[in-house]
Amino acid sequence: MIKGLIFDLDGVITDTAEYHYLAWKSLAKKMGIEMDREFNEQLKGISRMESLDLILKHGNKENDYSEEEKIELATQKNEEYKESIKQITPNDLLPGIEQLLKDAKEKGLGMALASASKNGPEIMKRLEIEDLFDGVVDPASLSAGKPDPEIFVKGAEMLGLDVSECVGLEDAEAGVEAINGAGMFSVGVGSKDAMHKADFIVEDTKDLTLDVILERASK
Ligand code: B16
Ligand code: MG
């Protein structure tokens, strides 16, 4: 029986990808690296430092900066990103998500956040959904990021549930792999192609209704 939902943030609850993109693009420009939206797709669900490494590699500059300099660059990106997320309001919840969270709460399901973003708690506050959640996995506490299952396993632990009692929701391929690796039922939001490893695929968050999720997961 399903007793908990474990959510990714960016791409499932709200769309912060555009803000990440603009902040990385402006940092990349300062380093003389061009990046477009197509390249940006690779950064979804990937941690801040790993994203920076991918951008440097993309610009053939992977050996140009020391660890210290890279931390400084990632901090610069994060400062710009933090400025832009100040605009987030409850209107930025993706379609269907508010209803899903409310229905799950009403049914007594546990809910945890499994986002790679260290800005997750701030974003949840701005979306006014933090009270609906029982826990947020701290990405800084992880020994490995997605596709490693650790973040979803920790989410289930936080809820006091077995992984078999939880459903994980993701929009990134690495995230779906993490859910599957944890032994949880995976819901993928996105194209059939990108989400082919998910147990259940919806193209849009508006199709994420609690009844359908529970029905699919208990088959
Ligand atoms: P931060 P998710 C991820 O969020 C984003 O998709 C990814 O682009 C970002 O680099 C990562 O969070 C880290 O974010 O710099 O705020 O710590 O999809 O795992 O909710
Ligand atoms: Mg995501």
Side-chain angles (χ1 to χ4, degrees):
M1 190 177 150
I2 298 301
K3 297 179 180 168
L5 302 180
I6 306 188
F7 290 87
D8 173 49
L9 179 64
D10 176 27
V12 174
I13 292 180
T14 190
D15 188 8
T16 44
E18 185 67 15
Y19 299 136
H20 281 295
Y21 170 61
L22 294 174
W24 280 128
K25 195 176 166 67
S26 97
L27 180 81
K29 203 172 168 197
K30 285 185 210 154
M31 300 187 295
I33 301 172
E34 279 304 318
M35 60 176 270
D36 56 16
R37 279 172 209 280
E38 196 193 329
F39 170 77
N40 188 60
E41 285 302 304
Q42 295 175 37
L43 308 182
K44 289 190 177 172
I46 302 296
S47 77
R48 201 180 305 161
M49 292 310 289
E50 278 176 290
S51 301
L52 176 62
D53 283 338
L54 286 175
I55 293 167
L56 291 174
K57 205 165 166 213
H58 179 66
N60 291 318
K61 291 188 191 292
E62 63 263 55
N63 299 316
D64 291 13
Y65 299 92
S66 67
E67 262 325 291
E68 225 170 58
E69 286 168 331
K70 287 206 270 183
I71 291 171
E72 169 53 30
L73 290 168
T75 305
Q76 273 181 42
K77 178 266 172 178
N78 193 48
E79 288 308 315
E80 183 168 336
Y81 177 70
K82 280 197 325 205
E83 268 312 303
S84 53
I85 60 175
K86 284 184 182 161
Q87 309 166 47
I88 294 178
T89 73
N91 286 333
D92 293 307
L93 282 166
L94 285 169
I97 295 298
E98 187 182 0
Q99 197 60 46
L100 172 62
L101 297 176
K102 285 185 175 160
D103 289 348
K105 191 78 191 167
E106 212 174 279
K107 276 223 159 129
L109 270 79
M111 283 186 278
L113 191 78
S115 165
S117 176
K118 292 180 177 157
N119 295 297
E122 171 67 22
I123 295 167
M124 287 169 91
K125 216 180 270 168
R126 295 193 178 274
L127 292 168
E128 296 178 14
I129 56 170
E130 78 267 41
D131 293 344
L132 296 169
F133 280 75
D134 303 287
V136 176
V137 182
D138 178 5
S141 73
L142 303 173
S143 51
K146 300 167 191 176
D148 192 282
E150 189 181 4
I151 192 165
F152 284 95
V153 172
K154 280 198 167 167
E157 274 169 18
M158 237 172 200
L159 299 177
L161 298 174
D162 188 80
V163 286
S164 63
E165 297 174 308
C166 299
V167 167
L169 300 98
E170 261 289 350
D171 72 311
E173 208 178 325
V176 170
E177 273 178 46
I179 301 171
N180 291 346
M184 256 174 224
F185 184 85
S186 55
V187 177
V189 181
S191 69
K192 286 205 172 79
D193 203 25
M195 293 292 103
H196 70 279
K197 288 184 184 153
D199 296 313
F200 173 45
I201 305 168
V202 292
E203 291 204 6
D204 196 285
T205 57
K206 70 174 170 18
D207 303 320
L208 286 174
T209 61
L210 187 62
D211 287 347
V212 171
I213 293 171
L214 295 181
E215 189 209 308
R216 293 293 185 125
S218 29
K219 263 187 191 163

Short mmCIF file of all heavy atoms in Angstrom, two decimals, residues 8 10 170-171, ligand 2:
data_model
loop_
_atom_site.label_atom_id
_atom_site.label_comp_id
_atom_site.label_asym_id
_atom_site.label_seq_id
_atom_site.Cartn_x
_atom_site.Cartn_y
_atom_site.Cartn_z
N ASP A 8 10.60 15.37 -6.52
CA ASP A 8 11.65 16.24 -7.04
C ASP A 8 11.03 17.65 -7.07
O ASP A 8 9.81 17.79 -7.01
CB ASP A 8 12.00 15.77 -8.46
CG ASP A 8 12.96 16.70 -9.16
OD1 ASP A 8 13.98 17.05 -8.55
OD2 ASP A 8 12.68 17.08 -10.31
N ASP A 10 12.43 20.95 -9.05
CA ASP A 10 12.50 21.62 -10.34
C ASP A 10 11.95 20.70 -11.44
O ASP A 10 12.48 19.62 -11.66
CB ASP A 10 13.96 21.99 -10.63
CG ASP A 10 14.13 22.60 -12.00
OD1 ASP A 10 13.17 23.20 -12.50
OD2 ASP A 10 15.23 22.48 -12.58
N GLU A 170 9.57 12.49 -10.66
CA GLU A 170 10.75 13.11 -11.25
C GLU A 170 10.51 13.61 -12.67
O GLU A 170 9.61 13.10 -13.35
CB GLU A 170 11.88 12.07 -11.34
CG GLU A 170 12.90 12.14 -10.24
CD GLU A 170 13.82 13.37 -10.32
OE1 GLU A 170 13.80 14.09 -11.35
OE2 GLU A 170 14.55 13.61 -9.36
N ASP A 171 11.36 14.55 -13.11
CA ASP A 171 11.30 14.98 -14.52
C ASP A 171 12.63 14.77 -15.22
O ASP A 171 12.75 15.04 -16.41
CB ASP A 171 10.93 16.47 -14.62
CG ASP A 171 12.07 17.34 -14.17
OD1 ASP A 171 12.63 17.08 -13.08
OD2 ASP A 171 12.45 18.26 -14.91
MG MG B 2 13.88 18.03 -11.63
#
